[in-house]
């Protein structure tokens, strides 16, 4: 296992101490590992969401209109400000 040394301002160190005092984590390294795992899961969720949107876009098909015409059509539907 690789070692990682980090520096943090006192307020963050105090936050880590508070989390450790709550008893969920054995030590600061355990807390940091958990944060990194949760960040990885969130990144995986984000990637899954983006891929889903890309597939949704592909499935919606391609239109023949020029982008400017599409924008004009959308803007024409908007209520006057």
């Amino acid at each position: 296992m690789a070692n990682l040394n980090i520096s943090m301002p006192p307020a963050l160190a105090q936050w880590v101490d508070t989390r450790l005092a709550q008893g969920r984590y054995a030590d600061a390294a355990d807390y940091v590992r958990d944060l990194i795992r949760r960040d990885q899961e969130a990144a995986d969720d984000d990637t899954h969401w983006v891929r889903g949107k890309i597939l949704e876009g592909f499935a919606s098909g391609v239109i023949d209109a020029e982008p400017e015409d599409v924008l004009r059509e959308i803007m024409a539907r908007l209520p006057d400000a």
Side-chain angles (χ1 to χ4, degrees):
M1 186 178 303
N3 286 324
L4 176 67
N5 295 316
I6 59 170
S7 298
M8 63 181 68
L12 288 181
Q14 185 177 7
W15 178 257
V16 171
D17 290 341
T18 299
R19 299 300 278 168
L20 295 178
Q22 293 171 347
R24 182 173 173 187
Y25 303 99
D27 54 30
D30 187 32
Y31 180 47
V32 170
R33 283 189 295 270
D34 183 56
L35 290 173
I36 293 169
R37 282 187 202 102
R38 286 192 277 154
D39 184 51
Q40 285 177 318
E41 290 170 4
D44 289 344
D45 291 346
D46 291 347
T47 299
H48 180 72
W49 180 83
V50 168
R51 286 185 177 153
K53 292 298 179 185
I54 291 170
L55 292 174
E56 185 180 315
F58 285 144
S60 72
V62 177
I63 59 173
D64 292 328
E66 292 296 320
E68 295 82 7
D69 296 333
V70 173
L71 287 173
R72 269 196 285 291
E73 182 181 325
I74 292 169
M75 291 172 67
R77 290 186 218 159
L78 296 175
D80 291 332

